[in-house]
Each structure stands twice: as structure tokens, then as C-alpha cells.
Amino acid sequence: MSVSNPPSSLAALDDRMRTIFREIVESYLETGEPVGSRTLSQAGRLSLSPASIRNTMSDLARLGLLTAPHSSAGRLPTHSGLRLFVDGLLQIGELSANERRAIEGQVGGTGRPVKDLLGEASAMLSGLAGGAGLVMTPKQEAPLRHIEFVSISPVETLAVLVFADGHVENRLMTTPDGLPPAALVEAGNYLSTRLKGRTLGEARRAIEEEMAAHQTQLDEAAQSLVTRGLADWGGPEGEQSLIIRGQAKLLENVDAAEDLERIRLLFDDIERKRELIALMDRARDADGVRLFIGAENPLFSLSGSSVIVAPYMNSEQEIVGALGVIGPTRLNYARVIPLVDYTARVVGKILDGGR
């Protein structure tokens, strides 16, 4: 059977084709099952015979919008068909006031470390959307203002980093053996002097050069703590990480062996975090929510998954990160799209200090 290129808009479909196409896609998104002509006819919403519906389904298949899995008489939307449906037929509702308050309550709360806040947002997205929640952390480029070390236990030290933009991050470190309490104060003063007005990456390079030239006035214990801190806070400046929560959600309601195989492939995709970060970074170029369906991105060519992503902004309205949901192509787009959009706005507002 020859298949033409899928139409780029609904204008290529007549009213009958559009109605049947919509019924099939909505049924698939609800059940995940192929839809047959007899099922559509018996549903009573179409005043057409099974034969007429079957002919129209064949026309939609030739257009590349529907496909028949295996020998099933039923049809499923292709990735191109889902894209056409989302762009032209999907009715996206508004979140209720209760849903908005629930998001604000679960993610809200200023004063927490940024990664804790973003981890909560990722878990919340997973729970509400039924997929895995994804949050790309901001690039940390703000200059530092102050740092101090606090002893938590004989083997753990908390580094408190205060940034010029007002946010605070706590980093838990392993305490070097035999470190006296006075070394915590000495190391904190040393770092605060050299960090002030510099980004973490800039300060790290300057301090490493100073230590390499043996120009520091620190004693051995304090220098050991500073060196340990620089290693713990290492990585390229501006590096972003990906927080993923709720992968177990993807295993819910998986019955058929082929569905389990798709989820396995999806887990493989998720493990390729660098490529997933690159995909989410594309949301930084968008004004609002972006949707990637199946083969539209090479990363999901095998698992046939969808990603719904939205950027979040800092107080200067600069896009600093992105968050979203990844799951099977039968995600509830009408619900997940506004959910992701509103969560991104809430996260941006919290990072801006609640203003």
C-alpha cells in the first residue's frame, strides 16, 4: 500500500475524514487500543455504516495519519497523525483553581535549596501527569557573595553558598580526616574573600592557580577542606543536570509484551541524559510549551515516546531551565500541556523569590 506524505493541516481532510480521525485519536488516547470501524459505528456518534467508516479509515491510512498494528482490523494514529491532531483538533482546557493551588502548595516554599525545589516539581509532574517528570536545572552563573562551613558530624560538613542574586545553596561534603573546628572558619574566610563577585567557575580556576603556585596562607587542614570543596563543586561552569522522578509510573497499566518492550526502550532513552538535556534545551528557544512526538526526535525513534516541555525564567525574565513530562505517545495532552505550562510559571515565580 502506498502512503503519501501526511498533510500539514486539517484543510486536506473533508468533514467525514476529520470526524472519524478525531474519534480514532481520542479513543486511542483514552484506551491505548486500536479502533475498528464496527466499534465506531456501534458507538452511535457517527451516522455511517461500518463499510463507509472502513473506507474513510483506509483513506486516512494512505495519507499517513493512521496505521494498523499487526493483523488487527483496528487503526491507531501514527506520530504524524498525533501531531496533526494536537496542532489542529486538540482542545486544551484551563486548570481549575484547586489544581493551581495544589501545584503551588506542593512545589511552593521559598528558602529551600534550588535542587530540592526542582526535585519536588519533577515528582509532582510525574504524579499528576502519569509519566516521568523531568526538570533541567538552571545554569549557575550568578556571582558568589559569601561562603561558610558548618560541621554536621565528625565526617560531614555543610557548605553554605550565598549568591549575589540572593539565593542560597547548601552542599554536603565529606570532612577531611582530623580537621579541627578552627579550620572551618579559616577555610570559609579564605574562600569568601576570593569568591566574592566571581562565579563559582571563575573562583575555582583562580584558587586552583593560587594553590598550584603555593601562594596560599592556609594551613594543611584548611587547604584540604578547600580542595575537597572545589572537587565537590566541580564540573564545567554553567553545566546543567537533569532531575528525573516517577519512572515507575511508566510501568503502570502495561499489559502487552510489546508495550513493556517500548517502556524498556524508553528507560534506555532516559538514561541517555546528555541527549535528553539537549532536547529540553531546545525548549529555551520557545515561547511556551513545546511538544515532541515519537520519531520527531531521533532519541525516541525506537520507544515512540512523547515529551512535553516548557521553559522557566529567572527574575530578569531570562530562560534558565526547562521542565516537563516524558511518557508514551498516548499521554493526556489536553491535561498535561497546561499542567506543564503552569508548573513552569510557578517554579519561575518561586526562583524569583515569590514576586
Side-chain angles (χ1 to χ4, degrees):
M1 180 185 72
S2 62
V3 178
S4 63
N5 292 326
S8 58
S9 74
L10 292 171
L13 307 183
D14 60 32
D15 289 342
R16 177 183 292 186
M17 295 171 74
R18 193 176 308 180
T19 300
I20 292 175
F21 174 63
R22 180 172 195 153
E23 290 283 336
I24 291 172
V25 176
E26 289 181 343
S27 177
Y28 165 72
L29 293 179
E30 182 179 348
T31 69
E33 298 294 328
V35 184
S37 57
R38 187 170 298 279
T39 300
L40 289 175
S41 178
Q42 291 175 345
R45 290 189 293 270
L46 301 172
S47 56
L48 297 169
S49 68
S52 296
I53 295 173
R54 191 158 50 248
N55 289 337
T56 302
M57 290 168 68
S58 296
D59 293 337
L60 291 167
R62 279 191 289 272
L63 288 171
L65 300 177
L66 299 180
T67 185
H70 310 301
S71 58
S72 169
R75 303 279 179 161
L76 298 174
T78 62
H79 294 165
S80 298
L82 283 173
R83 168 56 66 186
L84 186 65
F85 174 82
V86 169
D87 291 345
L89 289 174
L90 184 66
Q91 294 181 345
I92 300 174
E94 293 286 334
L95 295 178
S96 69
N98 287 339
E99 289 174 320
R100 291 196 297 270
R101 281 194 293 269
I103 293 171
E104 293 162 3
Q106 195 163 346
V107 179
T110 58
R112 287 186 296 167
V114 172
K115 281 202 172 182
D116 288 355
L117 183 153
L118 297 178
E120 189 65 41
S122 181
M124 186 274 300
L125 283 170
S126 171
L128 294 179
L134 308 172
V135 177
M136 186 171 68
T137 62
K139 292 180 179 178
Q140 185 48 261
E141 296 173 345
L144 286 136
R145 188 169 66 203
H146 177 73
I147 183 172
E148 64 181 85
F149 295 100
V150 180
S151 178
I152 301 299
S153 74
V155 295
E156 288 184 318
T157 297
L158 186 69
V160 183
L161 285 75
V162 182
F163 291 84
D165 61 4
H167 89 268
V168 178
E169 290 191 16
N170 299 316
R171 311 283 181 92
L172 196 61
M173 302 167 48
T174 302
T175 305
D177 293 337
L179 187 78
L184 295 176
V185 177
E186 184 181 1
N189 291 338
Y190 171 83
L191 281 173
S192 290
T193 300
R194 286 153 181 79
L195 291 176
K196 191 171 183 179
R198 291 170 164 168
T199 66
L200 194 53
E202 291 169 344
R204 183 170 59 244
R205 288 190 291 272
I207 292 169
E208 286 173 345
E209 290 173 3
E210 188 173 307
M211 287 184 169
H214 305 290
Q215 295 176 347
T216 68
Q217 302 300 314
L218 293 172
D219 64 25
E220 184 177 349
Q223 183 166 327
S224 176
L225 182 64
V226 169
T227 302
R228 180 73 55 86
L230 294 176
D232 286 355
W233 311 330
E237 184 172 9
E239 183 180 27
Q240 293 179 286
S241 60
L242 189 65
I243 301 172
I244 304 173
R245 298 288 186 272
Q247 286 169 263
K249 281 277 183 183
L250 300 170
L251 292 171
E252 295 180 0
N253 302 317
V254 174
D255 299 319
E258 58 266 28
D259 289 337
L260 191 59
E261 175 63 13
R262 279 195 294 270
I263 296 301
R264 187 190 66 77
L265 291 170
L266 174 54
F267 279 2
D268 290 343
D269 293 339
I270 291 174
E271 287 302 312
R272 294 153 67 184
K273 289 188 178 182
R274 187 170 299 278
E275 293 176 59
L276 198 48
I277 287 174
L279 172 66
M280 295 187 71
D281 203 41
R282 290 169 59 184
R284 293 161 59 92
D285 302 325
D287 182 16
V289 180
R290 289 201 67 176
L291 171 61
F292 303 92
I293 300 176
E296 290 179 350
N297 187 277
L299 181 58
F300 306 119
S301 59
L302 294 178
S303 64
S305 308
S306 288
V307 182
I308 300 172
V309 190
Y312 59 88
M313 303 179 182
N314 62 13
S315 57
E316 283 76 41
Q317 295 301 297
E318 299 169 331
I319 295 174
V320 293
L323 55 77
V325 172
I326 182 172
T329 53
R330 55 173 295 240
L331 282 170
N332 185 343
Y333 298 102
R335 172 173 170 75
V336 177
I337 289 173
L339 176 65
V340 167
D341 180 50
Y342 191 73
T343 303
R345 284 187 274 151
V346 170
V347 167
K349 185 176 180 180
I350 293 171
L351 293 180
D352 191 18
R355 291 186 288 275

